[in-house]
Amino acid sequence: MTNGRGKAARSTLRRSREWFAADGRSGMVYRSWLRNQGYGPEVFDGRPVIGIASTWSELAPCNAHLDRVADAVKRGVWQAGGFPLVFPVMATGETLMRPTAMLYRNLLALVAEELMRANPLDGVVLLSGCDKTTPGLLMAAASVDLPAIMVTGGPMLNGKFRGRDVGSGTHVWKFEAEVKAGRMSVEDCQVAEGCMARSDGHCMTMGTASTMACMAEALGMQLPGSATWPAVDSRRYETAQAAGQRIMALVEDDVRPSAILTRAAFENAIRANAAIGGSTNAVIHLIALAGRVGVELTVDDFDVLASDVPTLVDLMPSGRFLMEDFCYAGGLPVVLRRLAEAHLLNADQLTVNGKTIGDNAASAECWNDEVIRPLDTPLLPAGAGTAVLKGNLCPSGAVIKQSAASRHLLIHEGRAVVFDSPEEYHAVCDDDDLDVTADDVIVIRGAGPKGYPGMPEVANVPIPARLLRDGVTDMVRISDGRMSGTGYGTVVLHVSPEAAVGGPLALVRTGDRILLDVPARSLTVDVSDDELTQRAEAWSPTLRPEDRSGYRWLYREHVLQADAGADLDFLRGSRGAGVPRDSH
Ligand code: FES
């Protein structure tokens, strides 16, 4: 027996011993049924039991290879003397789930949290890929606070169409607009469709999945350099194996997410997000994650902390390249090194490899300065990333991704053309007699957390077909919904409070004048307070029949607004792992 900090003392504290070292009938039940998989008794000798939380699913195409990634993690756990057990967590695939995968991020987190707590696990490896799976698993791990390490599944190879790079998501919108404008045939579009997603992996633009993979690395929750390896690269599997080995050390040293996910780590992530030109969805996911570990983080932090960070990474949708190029240029460690050189990184933050983020980035070398720009020749100057707007149209805030917007529209006044739902807009947007001009401001409401419900990625609605044919490529659009990280345009997102709870967006009428002034961080509607008060008194909420029971009811009742991360109110905070009661 060593002292309280020694190996033997710690091993007696392992949660899994509460199951497998139990006497009598209980211990027999726990061990015996698990042996139906052919394990010998040695796996119950006190070695750490490592859960591998997999969001594998054929219904989540971006995660469909995670079973193979799990095999590599298992290999690493065995090599380091642990006992790995893979368990499925619900997968949230962006492309197939209706009404929106975001409706289920919190459910994923809830399921994963409860599975981690209910089972004899000493540590967990989190396997994610598609957008919501990364924040969902991180939120779960934070609330359980068991030693954890993340392995994201990696991006797809660059899309290739007739000699050009095409980016997942980004080019879906581009091609749609080209077809509507008559500049691309439907047949060519169908050929292009088969050229975008040509390997395992998640979207290879700097969409939400790539962004959140980088956020996991910038937070210190995944091994350095691992966010960008393509899903089919052998080094993706090498990384997974290394994570399987490394989780054993985290268990041994009892390093939990609460030791890594500090306020300083979130500041690093916010600045890294600005430097990579990351998705606006990072705002919601990082605030939700911070809420799980009790770190104070507000939407304003994203503007303040990013204000002195230039955009360095030239990736679609803001720039030209794709994740493969980012990886080969050196990946996120290069960005972190450049932030550190500019004194924009909390360099002493602990990461899952046991070193500080500054130490990890110190030796990073850039192999392509076009893809990852030097500090003195950035893609965009400091403060040109995600801006947070305030005003009488969004008292709790709204965001706009400046790097994906049109510069000439960043200060704009226009007539509001209001739609109560995305569907209402889509039903008429291609009508030639739709009363809308390029100077108008399209308002899409009813797309917030409670309103849809689930806050779908619908805010970057297509430009009306008639205007596209006239050569219009962008218009100001405003919504309480979200936009895909692969999307682009002058789109104001996450308007809070949302229309469904009576926020000012609910009170806007077609014909009102809306003023957007991004440099002044302002979004206002030119309607007097008295008039808005009168409209509010006449407003009443609506509730769809399908939202009156089941999970959708639970979600609507408890979801927080976008500026609070759209988590469920009763899931905020850490509940710890504990050891549930023995019923045998
Ligand atoms: Fe899964 Fe884009 S659809 S990452």
Side-chain angles (χ1 to χ4, degrees), residues 60-63 92-96 129-133 156 168-169 201-205 207-210 457 484 486:
C62 309
N63 295 19
T92 51
E94 289 299 307
T95 54
L96 300 179
C130 202
D131 296 14
K132 309 304 176 295
T133 55
M156 290 184 275
S168 38
H202 58 67
C203 290
M204 82 311 259
T205 40
T208 304
S210 300
E457 295 179 334
S484 166
T486 63

PDB file of all heavy atoms in Angstrom, residues 60-63 92-96 129-133 156 168-169 201-205 207-210 457 484 486, ligand 1:
ATOM      1  N   ALA A  60     -25.797   8.351 -39.691  1.00  0.00           N
ATOM      2  CA  ALA A  60     -24.982   9.565 -39.555  1.00  0.00           C
ATOM      3  C   ALA A  60     -23.754   9.357 -40.438  1.00  0.00           C
ATOM      4  O   ALA A  60     -22.716   8.893 -39.966  1.00  0.00           O
ATOM      5  CB  ALA A  60     -24.588   9.802 -38.098  1.00  0.00           C
ATOM      6  N   PRO A  61     -23.867   9.654 -41.731  1.00  0.00           N
ATOM      7  CA  PRO A  61     -22.801   9.282 -42.666  1.00  0.00           C
ATOM      8  C   PRO A  61     -21.414   9.769 -42.239  1.00  0.00           C
ATOM      9  O   PRO A  61     -20.418   9.081 -42.500  1.00  0.00           O
ATOM     10  CB  PRO A  61     -23.234   9.956 -43.976  1.00  0.00           C
ATOM     11  CG  PRO A  61     -24.710  10.133 -43.850  1.00  0.00           C
ATOM     12  CD  PRO A  61     -24.995  10.335 -42.391  1.00  0.00           C
ATOM     13  N   CYS A  62     -21.354  10.905 -41.596  1.00  0.00           N
ATOM     14  CA  CYS A  62     -20.044  11.454 -41.183  1.00  0.00           C
ATOM     15  C   CYS A  62     -19.396  10.590 -40.101  1.00  0.00           C
ATOM     16  O   CYS A  62     -18.196  10.706 -39.853  1.00  0.00           O
ATOM     17  CB  CYS A  62     -20.212  12.872 -40.662  1.00  0.00           C
ATOM     18  SG  CYS A  62     -21.121  13.938 -41.788  1.00  0.00           S
ATOM     19  N   ASN A  63     -20.190   9.751 -39.443  1.00  0.00           N
ATOM     20  CA  ASN A  63     -19.682   8.932 -38.336  1.00  0.00           C
ATOM     21  C   ASN A  63     -19.675   7.443 -38.679  1.00  0.00           C
ATOM     22  O   ASN A  63     -19.447   6.618 -37.793  1.00  0.00           O
ATOM     23  CB  ASN A  63     -20.563   9.144 -37.092  1.00  0.00           C
ATOM     24  CG  ASN A  63     -20.490  10.555 -36.545  1.00  0.00           C
ATOM     25  OD1 ASN A  63     -20.071  11.459 -37.251  1.00  0.00           O
ATOM     26  ND2 ASN A  63     -20.879  10.746 -35.306  1.00  0.00           N
ATOM     27  N   THR A  92     -26.146  11.819 -33.987  1.00  0.00           N
ATOM     28  CA  THR A  92     -26.967  12.873 -34.576  1.00  0.00           C
ATOM     29  C   THR A  92     -26.323  13.291 -35.888  1.00  0.00           C
ATOM     30  O   THR A  92     -25.362  14.051 -35.901  1.00  0.00           O
ATOM     31  CB  THR A  92     -27.058  14.088 -33.635  1.00  0.00           C
ATOM     32  OG1 THR A  92     -25.729  14.442 -33.240  1.00  0.00           O
ATOM     33  CG2 THR A  92     -27.877  13.764 -32.402  1.00  0.00           C
ATOM     34  N   GLY A  93     -26.839  12.770 -36.967  1.00  0.00           N
ATOM     35  CA  GLY A  93     -26.327  13.133 -38.289  1.00  0.00           C
ATOM     36  C   GLY A  93     -27.073  14.347 -38.815  1.00  0.00           C
ATOM     37  O   GLY A  93     -28.305  14.393 -38.779  1.00  0.00           O
ATOM     38  N   GLU A  94     -26.327  15.303 -39.317  1.00  0.00           N
ATOM     39  CA  GLU A  94     -26.946  16.549 -39.779  1.00  0.00           C
ATOM     40  C   GLU A  94     -27.857  16.357 -40.982  1.00  0.00           C
ATOM     41  O   GLU A  94     -28.858  17.052 -41.133  1.00  0.00           O
ATOM     42  CB  GLU A  94     -25.861  17.550 -40.189  1.00  0.00           C
ATOM     43  CG  GLU A  94     -25.084  18.120 -39.049  1.00  0.00           C
ATOM     44  CD  GLU A  94     -25.954  18.884 -38.077  1.00  0.00           C
ATOM     45  OE1 GLU A  94     -26.691  19.787 -38.498  1.00  0.00           O
ATOM     46  OE2 GLU A  94     -25.889  18.558 -36.880  1.00  0.00           O
ATOM     47  N   THR A  95     -27.468  15.431 -41.858  1.00  0.00           N
ATOM     48  CA  THR A  95     -28.116  15.435 -43.164  1.00  0.00           C
ATOM     49  C   THR A  95     -29.471  14.734 -43.188  1.00  0.00           C
ATOM     50  O   THR A  95     -30.322  15.082 -43.994  1.00  0.00           O
ATOM     51  CB  THR A  95     -27.191  14.793 -44.211  1.00  0.00           C
ATOM     52  OG1 THR A  95     -26.799  13.495 -43.740  1.00  0.00           O
ATOM     53  CG2 THR A  95     -25.968  15.646 -44.439  1.00  0.00           C
ATOM     54  N   LEU A  96     -29.684  13.761 -42.340  1.00  0.00           N
ATOM     55  CA  LEU A  96     -30.915  12.976 -42.434  1.00  0.00           C
ATOM     56  C   LEU A  96     -31.940  13.300 -41.356  1.00  0.00           C
ATOM     57  O   LEU A  96     -33.144  13.104 -41.556  1.00  0.00           O
ATOM     58  CB  LEU A  96     -30.582  11.474 -42.367  1.00  0.00           C
ATOM     59  CG  LEU A  96     -29.656  10.946 -43.474  1.00  0.00           C
ATOM     60  CD1 LEU A  96     -29.388   9.459 -43.275  1.00  0.00           C
ATOM     61  CD2 LEU A  96     -30.257  11.189 -44.853  1.00  0.00           C
ATOM     62  N   GLY A 129     -17.932  13.078 -34.625  1.00  0.00           N
ATOM     63  CA  GLY A 129     -17.619  13.480 -35.989  1.00  0.00           C
ATOM     64  C   GLY A 129     -18.564  14.572 -36.427  1.00  0.00           C
ATOM     65  O   GLY A 129     -18.227  15.756 -36.377  1.00  0.00           O
ATOM     66  N   CYS A 130     -19.765  14.157 -36.824  1.00  0.00           N
ATOM     67  CA  CYS A 130     -20.741  15.124 -37.321  1.00  0.00           C
ATOM     68  C   CYS A 130     -21.054  16.168 -36.238  1.00  0.00           C
ATOM     69  O   CYS A 130     -20.936  15.906 -35.032  1.00  0.00           O
ATOM     70  CB  CYS A 130     -22.005  14.387 -37.761  1.00  0.00           C
ATOM     71  SG  CYS A 130     -23.002  15.325 -38.934  1.00  0.00           S
ATOM     72  N   ASP A 131     -21.494  17.326 -36.708  1.00  0.00           N
ATOM     73  CA  ASP A 131     -21.565  18.556 -35.908  1.00  0.00           C
ATOM     74  C   ASP A 131     -21.877  18.395 -34.422  1.00  0.00           C
ATOM     75  O   ASP A 131     -21.108  18.795 -33.567  1.00  0.00           O
ATOM     76  CB  ASP A 131     -22.636  19.488 -36.481  1.00  0.00           C
ATOM     77  CG  ASP A 131     -22.308  19.963 -37.878  1.00  0.00           C
ATOM     78  OD1 ASP A 131     -21.409  19.392 -38.527  1.00  0.00           O
ATOM     79  OD2 ASP A 131     -22.963  20.909 -38.334  1.00  0.00           O
ATOM     80  N   LYS A 132     -23.073  17.861 -34.106  1.00  0.00           N
ATOM     81  CA  LYS A 132     -23.541  17.910 -32.718  1.00  0.00           C
ATOM     82  C   LYS A 132     -22.917  16.829 -31.853  1.00  0.00           C
ATOM     83  O   LYS A 132     -23.010  16.893 -30.634  1.00  0.00           O
ATOM     84  CB  LYS A 132     -25.077  17.743 -32.659  1.00  0.00           C
ATOM     85  CG  LYS A 132     -25.859  18.671 -33.575  1.00  0.00           C
ATOM     86  CD  LYS A 132     -25.552  20.120 -33.330  1.00  0.00           C
ATOM     87  CE  LYS A 132     -26.269  21.016 -34.318  1.00  0.00           C
ATOM     88  NZ  LYS A 132     -25.865  20.877 -35.706  1.00  0.00           N
ATOM     89  N   THR A 133     -22.306  15.837 -32.503  1.00  0.00           N
ATOM     90  CA  THR A 133     -21.785  14.732 -31.707  1.00  0.00           C
ATOM     91  C   THR A 133     -20.595  15.164 -30.861  1.00  0.00           C
ATOM     92  O   THR A 133     -20.393  14.651 -29.755  1.00  0.00           O
ATOM     93  CB  THR A 133     -21.408  13.534 -32.606  1.00  0.00           C
ATOM     94  OG1 THR A 133     -20.489  13.948 -33.622  1.00  0.00           O
ATOM     95  CG2 THR A 133     -22.641  12.962 -33.280  1.00  0.00           C
ATOM     96  N   MET A 156     -13.608  14.486 -44.391  1.00  0.00           N
ATOM     97  CA  MET A 156     -13.517  13.782 -45.681  1.00  0.00           C
ATOM     98  C   MET A 156     -12.357  14.362 -46.487  1.00  0.00           C
ATOM     99  O   MET A 156     -11.886  15.480 -46.231  1.00  0.00           O
ATOM    100  CB  MET A 156     -14.808  13.988 -46.485  1.00  0.00           C
ATOM    101  CG  MET A 156     -16.017  13.283 -45.918  1.00  0.00           C
ATOM    102  SD  MET A 156     -17.474  13.460 -46.976  1.00  0.00           S
ATOM    103  CE  MET A 156     -18.134  15.029 -46.433  1.00  0.00           C
ATOM    104  N   SER A 168     -17.923  20.502 -48.978  1.00  0.00           N
ATOM    105  CA  SER A 168     -19.230  19.990 -48.552  1.00  0.00           C
ATOM    106  C   SER A 168     -20.027  21.121 -47.900  1.00  0.00           C
ATOM    107  O   SER A 168     -19.490  21.920 -47.151  1.00  0.00           O
ATOM    108  CB  SER A 168     -19.067  18.821 -47.584  1.00  0.00           C
ATOM    109  OG  SER A 168     -17.998  19.019 -46.702  1.00  0.00           O
ATOM    110  N   GLY A 169     -21.287  21.141 -48.203  1.00  0.00           N
ATOM    111  CA  GLY A 169     -22.160  22.195 -47.687  1.00  0.00           C
ATOM    112  C   GLY A 169     -22.019  23.462 -48.497  1.00  0.00           C
ATOM    113  O   GLY A 169     -22.931  23.861 -49.227  1.00  0.00           O
ATOM    114  N   GLY A 201     -15.731  10.341 -43.314  1.00  0.00           N
ATOM    115  CA  GLY A 201     -15.404  11.577 -42.617  1.00  0.00           C
ATOM    116  C   GLY A 201     -16.528  12.595 -42.618  1.00  0.00           C
ATOM    117  O   GLY A 201     -17.576  12.417 -43.233  1.00  0.00           O
ATOM    118  N   HIS A 202     -16.270  13.666 -41.874  1.00  0.00           N
ATOM    119  CA  HIS A 202     -17.253  14.759 -41.778  1.00  0.00           C
ATOM    120  C   HIS A 202     -16.934  15.844 -42.801  1.00  0.00           C
ATOM    121  O   HIS A 202     -15.932  15.762 -43.526  1.00  0.00           O
ATOM    122  CB  HIS A 202     -17.308  15.306 -40.353  1.00  0.00           C
ATOM    123  CG  HIS A 202     -16.007  15.837 -39.809  1.00  0.00           C
ATOM    124  ND1 HIS A 202     -15.387  16.961 -40.309  1.00  0.00           N
ATOM    125  CD2 HIS A 202     -15.209  15.402 -38.789  1.00  0.00           C
ATOM    126  CE1 HIS A 202     -14.281  17.211 -39.627  1.00  0.00           C
ATOM    127  NE2 HIS A 202     -14.142  16.266 -38.698  1.00  0.00           N
ATOM    128  N   CYS A 203     -17.771  16.862 -42.853  1.00  0.00           N
ATOM    129  CA  CYS A 203     -17.588  17.942 -43.825  1.00  0.00           C
ATOM    130  C   CYS A 203     -16.164  18.477 -43.773  1.00  0.00           C
ATOM    131  O   CYS A 203     -15.593  18.676 -42.690  1.00  0.00           O
ATOM    132  CB  CYS A 203     -18.562  19.077 -43.535  1.00  0.00           C
ATOM    133  SG  CYS A 203     -20.276  18.649 -43.907  1.00  0.00           S
ATOM    134  N   MET A 204     -15.604  18.702 -44.974  1.00  0.00           N
ATOM    135  CA  MET A 204     -14.182  19.098 -45.019  1.00  0.00           C
ATOM    136  C   MET A 204     -14.010  20.592 -45.217  1.00  0.00           C
ATOM    137  O   MET A 204     -12.899  21.074 -45.433  1.00  0.00           O
ATOM    138  CB  MET A 204     -13.446  18.264 -46.058  1.00  0.00           C
ATOM    139  CG  MET A 204     -13.543  18.675 -47.503  1.00  0.00           C
ATOM    140  SD  MET A 204     -15.173  19.007 -48.139  1.00  0.00           S
ATOM    141  CE  MET A 204     -15.563  17.508 -49.020  1.00  0.00           C
ATOM    142  N   THR A 205     -15.090  21.343 -45.195  1.00  0.00           N
ATOM    143  CA  THR A 205     -14.993  22.794 -45.094  1.00  0.00           C
ATOM    144  C   THR A 205     -14.799  23.149 -43.617  1.00  0.00           C
ATOM    145  O   THR A 205     -14.860  22.272 -42.754  1.00  0.00           O
ATOM    146  CB  THR A 205     -16.298  23.434 -45.605  1.00  0.00           C
ATOM    147  OG1 THR A 205     -17.389  22.640 -45.133  1.00  0.00           O
ATOM    148  CG2 THR A 205     -16.358  23.469 -47.110  1.00  0.00           C
ATOM    149  N   GLY A 207     -16.706  23.959 -41.529  1.00  0.00           N
ATOM    150  CA  GLY A 207     -18.075  23.961 -41.022  1.00  0.00           C
ATOM    151  C   GLY A 207     -18.056  23.665 -39.537  1.00  0.00           C
ATOM    152  O   GLY A 207     -17.006  23.713 -38.880  1.00  0.00           O
ATOM    153  N   THR A 208     -19.215  23.293 -39.028  1.00  0.00           N
ATOM    154  CA  THR A 208     -19.308  23.104 -37.585  1.00  0.00           C
ATOM    155  C   THR A 208     -18.522  21.886 -37.117  1.00  0.00           C
ATOM    156  O   THR A 208     -17.898  21.917 -36.054  1.00  0.00           O
ATOM    157  CB  THR A 208     -20.776  22.997 -37.170  1.00  0.00           C
ATOM    158  OG1 THR A 208     -21.451  24.178 -37.631  1.00  0.00           O
ATOM    159  CG2 THR A 208     -20.919  22.908 -35.668  1.00  0.00           C
ATOM    160  N   ALA A 209     -18.525  20.807 -37.890  1.00  0.00           N
ATOM    161  CA  ALA A 209     -17.800  19.614 -37.453  1.00  0.00           C
ATOM    162  C   ALA A 209     -16.301  19.890 -37.373  1.00  0.00           C
ATOM    163  O   ALA A 209     -15.646  19.560 -36.374  1.00  0.00           O
ATOM    164  CB  ALA A 209     -18.072  18.452 -38.400  1.00  0.00           C
ATOM    165  N   SER A 210     -15.740  20.504 -38.421  1.00  0.00           N
ATOM    166  CA  SER A 210     -14.310  20.832 -38.392  1.00  0.00           C
ATOM    167  C   SER A 210     -14.030  21.841 -37.278  1.00  0.00           C
ATOM    168  O   SER A 210     -13.016  21.743 -36.573  1.00  0.00           O
ATOM    169  CB  SER A 210     -13.876  21.419 -39.738  1.00  0.00           C
ATOM    170  OG  SER A 210     -14.094  20.491 -40.774  1.00  0.00           O
ATOM    171  N   GLU A 457     -30.700  24.908 -38.908  1.00  0.00           N
ATOM    172  CA  GLU A 457     -29.764  25.710 -39.719  1.00  0.00           C
ATOM    173  C   GLU A 457     -30.478  26.166 -40.983  1.00  0.00           C
ATOM    174  O   GLU A 457     -30.276  25.616 -42.067  1.00  0.00           O
ATOM    175  CB  GLU A 457     -28.533  24.873 -40.041  1.00  0.00           C
ATOM    176  CG  GLU A 457     -27.735  24.530 -38.794  1.00  0.00           C
ATOM    177  CD  GLU A 457     -26.517  23.669 -39.073  1.00  0.00           C
ATOM    178  OE1 GLU A 457     -26.530  22.943 -40.089  1.00  0.00           O
ATOM    179  OE2 GLU A 457     -25.570  23.707 -38.276  1.00  0.00           O
ATOM    180  N   SER A 484     -25.702  26.733 -41.053  1.00  0.00           N
ATOM    181  CA  SER A 484     -24.636  25.731 -41.106  1.00  0.00           C
ATOM    182  C   SER A 484     -23.281  26.425 -41.107  1.00  0.00           C
ATOM    183  O   SER A 484     -23.115  27.491 -41.710  1.00  0.00           O
ATOM    184  CB  SER A 484     -24.787  24.882 -42.368  1.00  0.00           C
ATOM    185  OG  SER A 484     -23.593  24.150 -42.591  1.00  0.00           O
ATOM    186  N   THR A 486     -20.980  25.613 -42.789  1.00  0.00           N
ATOM    187  CA  THR A 486     -20.504  25.615 -44.174  1.00  0.00           C
ATOM    188  C   THR A 486     -21.200  26.690 -45.003  1.00  0.00           C
ATOM    189  O   THR A 486     -20.884  26.869 -46.169  1.00  0.00           O
ATOM    190  CB  THR A 486     -20.773  24.245 -44.834  1.00  0.00           C
ATOM    191  OG1 THR A 486     -22.188  24.033 -44.885  1.00  0.00           O
ATOM    192  CG2 THR A 486     -20.129  23.112 -44.053  1.00  0.00           C
TER     193      THR A 486
HETATM  194 FE1  FES B   1     -21.914  15.803 -40.856  1.00  0.00          FE
HETATM  195 FE2  FES B   1     -21.385  18.162 -42.169  1.00  0.00          FE
HETATM  196  S1  FES B   1     -23.096  16.808 -42.381  1.00  0.00           S
HETATM  197  S2  FES B   1     -20.298  17.184 -40.615  1.00  0.00           S
END
